[in-house]
Amino acid sequence: MTESMNRLVFVSNRVGPLGDEGKAGGLAVGLADALRRRGGLWFGWSGETSEEGLGGELRSETHDKTELVTVDMTEEEAQGFYLHYANRTLWPLLHYRLDIAEFDRDSDRTYRAVNHRFAQRLRPLLKDDDLVWVHDYHFFYLGAELREQGYTGRIGFFLHIPFCPPEILGALPASLDLVSAMLAYDVVGFQTETDRRNFVTYCVQELEAEELDDGLVRVGERLTKTATFPIGIDAEGFAEFARSAEAQEHQAMVQGMANGRAQIVGVDRMDYSKGIIQRFRGFEQLLEDYPETHGQVRFLQVAPVSRGQLDAYAELRVELEQLAGNINGRFATLDWAPMQILTRGFTRKALAGIYRASRVCMVTPLRDGMNLVAKEYVAAQDPEDPGVLILSRFAGAKAELGAALIVNPYSSDDVSRALHYALTMPLDERRRRHALMAEKVFQNTAARWCDGFLETLKAFDGGRHVDNPDDAILQKPWLWDKALRLLGAVRPG
Ligand code: GDG
C-alpha cells in the first residue's frame, strides 16, 4: 500500500455514500472503499439544484478522515451538463451507441461552463502537493481548467466507462477539444488496454501525437502518461457480507422462492448498455431450445431504476417489464413462473445473499467499462459449491475473468447454450473456474486499483517540467492554443 503524505483529492460528479448501504453505482462503490482507508477530500455535485447553482455555498461534511464537499447546480446547469451532455451525448457515444447519441451546441457549452465553474470552486481548496484525482466522463475538461486557473500540482484522470474507437468518437463535434483537454492531465487511466489503445490511436491520428514507451503520449512539448488500472472491489469485505445474517436471510428467501429449482440472477442498474433485453431473449431461447429446463429454473433480474428522467431509460423499463411478462405468459404453468424482474434496490448485504443463492449469474453488457457485479458475484460464492458466471465478451471484466463462460450478448443462441452449459456444469469444473476467477478478484481489489493509480500519478512528473509556475502556459503552447482558446470562447462572463 502507498504511504503517501500527499493529501488525496477526489473529484466526481456525485460524492459518497461512504457507508455499505450505498446506492447503486460502481464508481461510488470503488471510491468510497479507497477513501475509507486513506482519507482525504471528495468534491462534487450535491445532486440538488438551486438558484445560485455552482455559484452558491459549498457544503461540507466530515466522516472520519474524509471531508465531503459539495455544491449545487442551477436547473439549467444540471439539465445541460448532466442530463443532456453527460448522459445523452457522452454516455451512449463512449458505449459505441452512435445511433442514439445526441449532439447539440447548447449542452456542449453548458458542459464546458460547468467544468469551468467546478474548477473555480475547487481551486481555492487545493494545496500544491495534493494528488488530485478526477473521475469519469463528467469532467473531461476539468484538468485543463484547473491548469488555466494556475494549479500546477499533479492531476490525474480515470475513465470508468469505455473509450470508443476514433471512428466513433470522431462523430462528436467537440472530439478534438475534448481529447486535447484530456492531455492537460498528467496521468489518464483506463479500465482496459482496448480503451487506452482507442485513446492513443485518436491522439496519433487526429492530434499528430507521438506514442513513446511506457504509455507516454507526446503532443508538442506536452507529455501525458496513459495506463490501464482495472477497477476492483473490496473482495474480502464483500465475501464477509455474503456470510452476514442479512445475506443469509436473503439467500434463504431466494432459495425458498426457487423451491429446489436452479436460480439464475442478473443485477444491473437499469441501463441499455447492460444488455438486459438481449439477456431476456437469451433466457427465452433457453426455454425454447431446452424444454427439459421448464419448471427447473428461475431467473431473477434485479434492475434498480437509474436516470429515470431520460426517455431512453423510461422506455427501457417499459420494454423490460413487457418482455418479462411475455416470457412468463408464454411458459409459466400453475406452479411455476420462469422469471421475475425487481426494479427496487437492495442493501449490499442483501445483494451478497442473492448472489450466493444463485447457481448462475448473467453479466451480459453490450459494452461495459469493467462491471463490478461480475466481481461481486465471484466474491460472494461458497468456494466449495460455487455458481457459474456468464460474462459478455464486451465487459472490461473479461480481461481478468476469462475463466467465466464468455458469450456474445447479441447472440441469443450463444447465451442460451451458455446457460444450459452453466446449469449442467459438474462441481469440479465449477470449482476450477471459480478458483481462477477468485484469484483475480481477491488480488486486484479496489484498494490495489487506488494505490496503483496514485503511485503512478505521484511518480510521474513528465508533463510538468515547470520550474516557475508562471512559465507553465509557455511550456504547453499547443495545448493552450488548441484546447483552451476554445474553452475561453464559451466561458461565462
Ligand atoms: C460504472 C461503469 C464500472 C446494483 N444494484 C444494486 C446495487 N448495485 C451495485 C452493484 C455494483 C454497482 O451497483 C454497479 O456497478 P457496475 O460496475 O456493474 O456498473 P456501473 O454502475 O455502470 O458503473 C462500470 C464502474 O463504473 C466502476 O468503475 O465497472 O463499467 O459503467 O457495485 O452491486 N447496489 C445496491 N443495491 C442494488 O440493488 N446496494
Side-chain angles (χ1 to χ4, degrees), residues 22 25-26 160 191 269 274 345-346 351 368-372 376:
H160 289 255
Q191 300 273 25
R269 263 189 321 99
K274 303 293 181 184
F346 289 88
L351 214 51
D368 216 333
M370 176 54 60
N371 196 296
L372 296 177
E376 290 164 1

Side-chain angles (χ1 to χ4, degrees), residues 24 82 268-271 303-310 312-314 343:
Y82 178 71
D268 310 78
R269 263 189 321 99
M270 194 182 281
D271 191 293
V305 174
S306 82
R307 304 174 193 168
Q309 311 98 307
L310 296 174
Y313 289 74
T343 54

Side-chain angles (χ1 to χ4, degrees), residues 21-27 29 91 95 158 160-161 191 231 267-269 274 302 304 344-348 351 355 368-373 376:
E21 73 290 350
K23 294 186 216 145
L27 185 148
V29 172
W91 176 272
H95 284 90
F158 183 78
H160 289 255
I161 68 174
Q191 300 273 25
I231 194 170
V267 175
D268 310 78
R269 263 189 321 99
K274 303 293 181 184
V302 176
R344 52 159 287 202
F346 289 88
T347 67
R348 294 182 60 67
L351 214 51
Y355 288 138
D368 216 333
M370 176 54 60
N371 196 296
L372 296 177
V373 168
E376 290 164 1

Side-chain angles (χ1 to χ4, degrees), residues 263-267 298-300 302 354-355 358 360-362 377:
Q263 177 70 40
I264 302 167
V265 77
V267 175
R298 181 172 177 274
F299 175 24
L300 167 66
V302 176
I354 296 172
Y355 288 138
S358 303
V360 182
C361 180
M362 287 208 272
Y377 179 73

Side-chain angles (χ1 to χ4, degrees), residues 64-122:
D64 294 331
K65 299 177 283 180
T66 304
E67 196 186 354
L68 304 181
V69 179
T70 57
V71 62
D72 294 346
M73 286 193 225
T74 62
E75 189 57 39
E76 195 195 343
E77 285 166 341
Q79 287 279 339
F81 163 80
Y82 178 71
L83 279 180
H84 209 123
Y85 202 74
N87 286 326
R88 285 195 186 126
T89 303
L90 294 176
W91 176 272
L93 185 80
L94 292 167
H95 284 90
Y96 298 51
R97 292 294 307 270
L98 196 45
D99 56 323
I100 54 171
E102 295 175 22
F103 305 117
D104 85 87
R105 198 167 56 176
D106 288 347
S107 63
D108 173 61
R109 285 184 175 166
T110 309
Y111 177 88
R112 296 181 200 223
V114 165
N115 272 243
H116 171 72
R117 289 184 196 128
F118 258 100
Q120 277 182 324
R121 300 312 306 271
L122 177 61

